[in-house]
Amino acid sequence: SKHQRPKMSFRLAPLGAVCRGVGSVLEKIGAGMADNFSRETLSRHREVMAVAEKKPTIDESCFIAPSANIMGSVAVGKKSSVWYGAVVKGDSNTVSIGSESVIKDLAMLTTGNGTISIGNNVVVGAGAVINGATVEDDAVIGAAATLGDGVVVGKGAFVAPGSNVEPGTSVPAGQVFGGNPAAVLRSLTEEEAAKLAAAQSAYVELSTYHQEELRKTALEIEQDKSDRKWDEERSQDYDAHIGILQHTPRAQVW
């Protein structure tokens, strides 16, 4: 049947080994010939790195995106996540991030004249900038908001997107704070607080899927590619209707 895809034969394994060996030799020859004319530079990017003797401490349950940067004296609690392009710098002072907190894409946490303390179940929105500030449990910092040195955001407060919270400001617990310069706008409703908490929980769950993808081996990644191609070439709905789905297993890459 045209739907049938056999497993890759083990007879190809010796040929594959030979091809890889030849490729390795050619690579060395090419590198030697090009040595006087060009130089390749390896990527220096590291998700997590020490600065002098200051080393990050990250719980193994955390998700740290490949393009994120965590450096220096930074502690990240259980099930917290630092997303793509975010930067957490503990080079001049310490940064503490509690459990199940979310540092979204392109956010910047940088210590200046003080430490940064992020509580539990906190969400720091995409592109937000936090200097030496304290953000208590369950608070939400909106996208592109800025917190100056010495700012304290109370438990369950919401700093509106794009707001500029000036240095030394205290944001009362459970309040909506916004503007430039930011000020109290009103109290957060119970419904709004529940929605923000649900969004935070959803991000924690989503981070586990990203973590699973990052932990896949090269073989598992190739299998995923094969599965996607397999799905493109067949209709599972059609196969299920004619009763052959269970008789046509997916192609294997090993």
Side-chain angles (χ1 to χ4, degrees), residues 204-222:
V204 172
E205 182 179 0
L206 180 62
S207 71
T208 63
Y209 298 118
H210 284 256
Q211 184 73 290
E212 289 173 3
E213 286 297 318
L214 285 181
R215 289 175 175 170
K216 284 184 176 181
T217 64
L219 190 59
E220 289 173 325
I221 293 172
E222 290 303 315

Side-chain angles (χ1 to χ4, degrees), residues 1 15 23 38 56 90 96 108 130 164 168-169 184 187 194 212 217 237:
S1 170
L15 178 59
S38 64
S96 174
M108 168 74 79
I130 297 180
N164 179 30
T169 302
V184 173
S187 295
E212 289 173 3
T217 64
D237 289 338

Side-chain angles (χ1 to χ4, degrees), residues 19-31:
C19 290
R20 293 188 66 180
V22 172
S24 177
V25 172
L26 292 174
E27 167 65 20
K28 291 178 181 178
I29 294 172

Side-chain angles (χ1 to χ4, degrees), residues 28 64 115 239:
K28 291 178 181 178
I64 309 299
T115 62
D239 286 349

